[in-house]
Amino acid sequence: MSDIRLKVFYTVASHLSFTKAADVLCITQPAVTKNIKELETELNIRLFERRGSKITLTEAGEILYRHAESIFEIYRKIQYDLGLLKEKQAGELLLGASTTLSHYILPPILANFYKHFPDIRISLLDANTEKIEEAVLQKKVILGIVEGKSKNKDLKYVPFLKDEIVAVVHTSQELANKDRISKDEFHGIPLVLRENGSGSLEIIAHELRKHDIQLNRLNLIMQLGSTESIKSFLANSNCMALLSISAVSKEIVDGQFKVIDIDDIDIKRVFYFTHLQGQLEKIPEMFLRFAQNSITKSYSL
């Protein structure tokens, strides 16, 4: 299957019009028709249903269209990656990231970005989600990366990475003898969580409300301002915390922490890039795409 025929097919399928496809591709309508017929002959299946002046995709056409979208997206990524090698960039990048991201997700991405663009100076503001969003609104940072998204219409959100919040205890404590607890048991277990304004806390509260569980009715003994302080606290207390799996994966593998399942409760979330509405400048846009490509290579989204 030639790329030319696939491009012609994709353009016709996108517009559902041979005439518009010819205009977009700057070729004649007979040339569009010829390419589609040759593609249908090659694949031995009809791709379009023709009814008078209107056309629709057949089931085979729908399948090919989805694959064509993926193929052309790969082409765009190839062009982007090759462009990184050819272009020398210099300037400043003002980033802001919530603590989970800045501590556990971003460091290897930032290191790799520096290898490609050593002349770009990066400043990173590390704070909770609420403060990062405020910094974006005040233009103290150009691009933020946060846990969840608010309803502020001045901010645009772009999905970055899926994450899961899990219940963990330190293996040195008595609670580590449990593998699973009921929602009733969960109410009585001493908890330590992040501070108000944390994106993690907002997501936790939102998900627990779906199960008719209110934070103020839980045995919340303490709120701390960082994930690292919570991890240190757990090592010295028979308590449970709800933390990002990204923040405790190393300790779980090393046997320091254990995940406790809570019946019917599954807390999933998405990390987002956020910036002011409108088009990003070149360097922030470049970092956003670079980070997305890095995550695609390292994580299953």
Side-chain angles (χ1 to χ4, degrees):
M1 187 190 312
S2 74
D3 284 352
I4 294 174
R5 289 176 187 162
L6 188 62
K7 186 174 183 180
V8 171
F9 163 78
Y10 182 75
T11 308
V12 174
S14 297
H15 296 277
L16 291 178
S17 169
F18 281 66
T19 303
K20 289 182 180 178
D23 291 339
V24 170
L25 296 170
C26 297
I27 59 177
T28 65
Q29 188 170 332
V32 171
T33 303
K34 179 176 180 291
N35 276 279
I36 295 299
K37 285 183 177 178
E38 289 176 349
L39 184 57
E40 289 179 325
T41 299
E42 180 183 350
L43 298 176
N44 194 27
I45 197 165
R46 294 189 66 180
L47 300 172
F48 294 98
E49 293 286 353
R50 298 163 180 83
R51 292 174 184 157
S53 61
K54 294 184 178 180
I55 61 170
T56 58
L57 285 166
T58 63
E59 184 178 357
E62 294 279 4
I63 292 171
L64 183 59
Y65 183 69
R66 290 197 298 271
H67 285 297
E69 279 189 310
S70 300
I71 290 168
F72 289 126
E73 176 61 25
I74 291 170
Y75 283 174
R76 285 190 288 270
K77 288 182 178 179
I78 290 172
Q79 291 174 339
Y80 169 79
D81 285 341
L82 294 177
L84 295 183
L85 297 176
K86 293 187 292 183
E87 294 185 23
K88 180 178 175 65
Q89 300 291 341
E92 185 177 21
L93 175 60
L94 302 177
L95 284 178
S98 62
T99 51
T100 298
L101 285 148
S102 63
H103 290 179
Y104 310 107
I105 305 288
L106 281 181
I109 295 174
L110 290 171
N112 195 25
F113 187 78
Y114 172 74
K115 289 179 184 178
H116 285 83
F117 308 105
D119 295 322
I120 294 179
R121 300 184 307 278
I122 299 178
S123 299
L124 177 63
L125 172 65
D126 174 8
N128 65 35
T129 290
E130 184 178 43
K131 291 179 180 177
I132 294 301
E133 290 177 334
E134 288 177 1
V136 173
L137 289 168
Q138 295 169 7
K139 298 183 180 180
K140 293 179 179 178
V141 301
I142 302 303
L143 182 64
I145 315 175
V146 295
E147 307 168 24
K149 56 182 180 178
S150 70
K151 296 180 180 179
N152 193 313
K153 294 181 180 179
D154 292 327
L155 294 175
K156 180 178 179 179
Y157 291 86
V158 179
F160 175 40
L161 173 67
K162 289 183 179 179
D163 185 46
E164 181 178 5
I165 294 176
V166 294
V168 294
V169 298
H170 199 275
T171 52
S172 66
Q173 304 299 323
E174 184 181 349
L175 277 171
N177 294 324
K178 297 178 179 291
D179 295 316
R180 175 177 291 274
I181 59 174
S182 67
K183 286 187 281 189
D184 287 340
E185 288 178 289
F186 178 58
H187 275 85
I189 289 177
L191 279 178
V192 55
L193 298 175
R194 287 288 305 277
E195 81 287 1
N196 292 331
S198 160
S200 296
L201 185 67
E202 185 177 343
I203 293 293
I204 289 167
H206 176 75
E207 291 299 318
L208 291 181
R209 282 195 296 270
K210 295 179 181 178
H211 299 273
D212 296 322
I213 298 174
Q214 304 297 323
L215 281 183
N216 59 9
R217 295 185 180 179
L218 295 174
N219 186 15
L220 180 57
I221 64 166
M222 194 170 298
Q223 291 179 261
L224 297 175
S226 75
T227 298
E228 286 300 310
S229 60
I230 291 176
K231 287 157 68 173
S232 297
F233 184 87
L234 289 181
N236 298 281
S237 176
N238 190 39
C239 293
M240 176 181 288
L242 299 177
L243 297 174
S244 164
I245 190 67
S246 303
V248 291
S249 57
K250 183 179 183 298
E251 289 87 350
I252 291 171
V253 171
D254 292 343
Q256 298 175 46
F257 284 97
K258 177 181 179 180
V259 174
I260 307 295
D261 292 323
I262 306 172
D263 287 346
D264 301 324
I265 295 179
D266 189 23
I267 305 178
K268 301 287 179 65
R269 64 172 172 181
V270 177
F271 294 132
Y272 291 89
F273 292 100
T274 185
H275 58 85
L276 292 174
Q277 290 287 355
Q279 184 65 39
L280 274 174
E281 295 178 359
K282 187 171 184 179
I283 290 177
E285 175 72 19
M286 188 169 63
F287 178 81
L288 187 154
R289 300 304 173 197
F290 185 94
Q292 286 180 323
N293 286 347
S294 299
I295 288 299
T296 300
K297 294 172 184 176
S298 304
Y299 294 83
S300 296
L301 288 175

